[in-house]
């Protein structure tokens, strides 16, 4: 069984955010900024978003845990034909991404930077561990990833496509269930799952006390799939 590179995606995302400082969606990855990959373990639990502390010029501070990101600004938006940067120009793709996203009175460059930071995180994560990158999209730990990828970094579209068929921790029922094989991404030592059929009859269940990735099969007869502490389950192929 493979052991995912990061034991916790929150630690990886924190390192990615620090590494992203000064980079953009033009191909300058975190490694180009001199970032180092995070250690394989960390104190946080998958599914808990973190926000990096402000680094000093000489010595970066330790990342501090924080709550979920603030919701996107609501209210009137700047018309697409009026979205222009203070200096320079936006590319066609950038304009498409910014359409209906820039609140009136807000600098469109700030909105664009948010999307570019999402691309930076995905670029870093996929180099560290691809399964964790897909899991971060599936769990919505990287919000608006689909829009950022479509408009700013289409080279990561395969991650978004795979995340569409993944299962984050929680209970999934009915038509949301897709028969096939799945592997756990970044599970904790308390990862457990249960698959039931009609009449709540247990079809299979298990745990991964070692924190190693596990593989399961969701049969066509499944009615409910419940997962806890496993972070996300990624597809390995559909059952005919």
């Amino acid at each position: 069984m493979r052991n995912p590179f990061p034991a916790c995606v929150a630690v990886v995302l924190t390192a990615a955010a620090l590494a992203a400082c000064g980079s953009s969606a033009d191909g300058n990855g975190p490694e180009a900024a001199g970032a180092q990959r995070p250690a394989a373990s960390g104190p946080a639990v998958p599914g808990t978003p973190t926000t990096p502390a402000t680094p000093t010029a000489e010595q970066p501070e330790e990342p501090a845990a924080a709550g979920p990101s603030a919701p996107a600004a609501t209210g009137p938006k700047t018309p697409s034909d009026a979205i222009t940067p203070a200096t320079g120009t936006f590319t066609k793709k950038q304009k498409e991404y910014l359409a209906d996203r820039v609140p009136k009175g807000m600098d469109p460059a700030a909105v664009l930077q948010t999307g570019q930071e999402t691309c930076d995180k995905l670029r870093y994560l996929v180099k560290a561990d691809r399964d964790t990158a897909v899991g971060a999209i599936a769990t919505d730990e990287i919000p608006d990833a689909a829009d950022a990828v479509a408009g700013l970094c289409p080279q990561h579209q395969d991650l978004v496509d795979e995340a569409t068929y993944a299962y984050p921790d929680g209970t999934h029922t009915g038509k949301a269930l897709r028969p096939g094989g799945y592997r756990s991404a970044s599970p904790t030592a308390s990862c457990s799952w249960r698959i039931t059929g009609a009449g709540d009859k247990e079809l299979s269940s298990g745990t991964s006390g070692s924190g190693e990735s596990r593989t399961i099969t969701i049969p066509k007869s499944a009615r409910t799939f419940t997962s806890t502490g496993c972070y996300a389950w990624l597809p390995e192929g559909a059952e005919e």
Side-chain angles (χ1 to χ4, degrees):
M1 293 293 178
R2 64 186 293 279
N3 188 15
F5 180 85
C8 139
V9 71
V11 174
V12 182
L13 286 178
T14 298
L18 288 172
C21 292
S23 65
S24 66
D26 60 2
N28 293 326
E31 284 77 4
Q36 295 182 346
R37 289 182 179 178
S41 62
V45 175
T48 303
T50 60
T51 304
T54 303
T56 63
E58 298 275 331
Q59 183 70 31
E61 296 179 7
E62 290 295 327
S69 300
T74 58
K77 302 294 192 300
T78 302
S80 298
D81 57 2
I83 296 176
T84 55
T87 59
T89 59
F90 289 134
T91 66
K92 181 180 178 180
K93 282 291 187 181
Q94 289 173 337
K95 288 181 179 179
E96 291 175 355
Y97 173 75
L98 291 171
D100 199 35
R101 287 178 176 275
V102 183
K104 284 189 175 181
M106 179 178 285
D107 182 0
V111 179
L112 180 63
Q113 182 179 355
T114 299
Q116 290 175 332
E117 287 174 353
T118 293
C119 290
D120 287 337
K121 291 175 184 178
L122 289 175
R123 182 184 299 114
Y124 185 89
L125 279 175
V126 77
K127 289 181 179 179
D129 182 75
R130 188 181 184 281
D131 280 0
T132 299
V134 176
I137 298 173
T139 60
D140 206 27
E141 198 156 346
I142 298 183
D144 299 322
D147 290 337
V149 167
L152 302 174
C153 47
Q155 69 270 27
H156 296 313
Q157 186 61 48
D158 61 319
L159 304 179
V160 174
D161 293 343
E162 185 172 343
T164 301
Y165 296 98
Y167 292 105
D169 274 338
T171 299
H172 309 275
T173 61
K175 294 181 179 179
L177 293 179
R178 294 173 296 275
Y182 296 83
R183 65 186 182 280
S184 55
S186 298
T188 68
S190 59
C191 169
S192 64
W193 64 90
R194 184 171 184 261
I195 302 173
T196 60
D200 200 36
K201 178 182 178 181
E202 183 174 292
L203 302 179
S204 66
S205 63
T207 62
S208 179
S210 64
E212 294 183 350
S213 180
R214 297 294 298 272
T215 300
I216 62 172
T217 298
I218 297 180
K220 293 181 179 179
S221 57
R223 295 293 180 270
T224 302
F225 170 44
T226 302
S227 169
T228 303
C230 304
Y231 187 50
W233 295 86
L234 312 185
E236 290 204 317
E239 192 174 88
E240 297 296 336

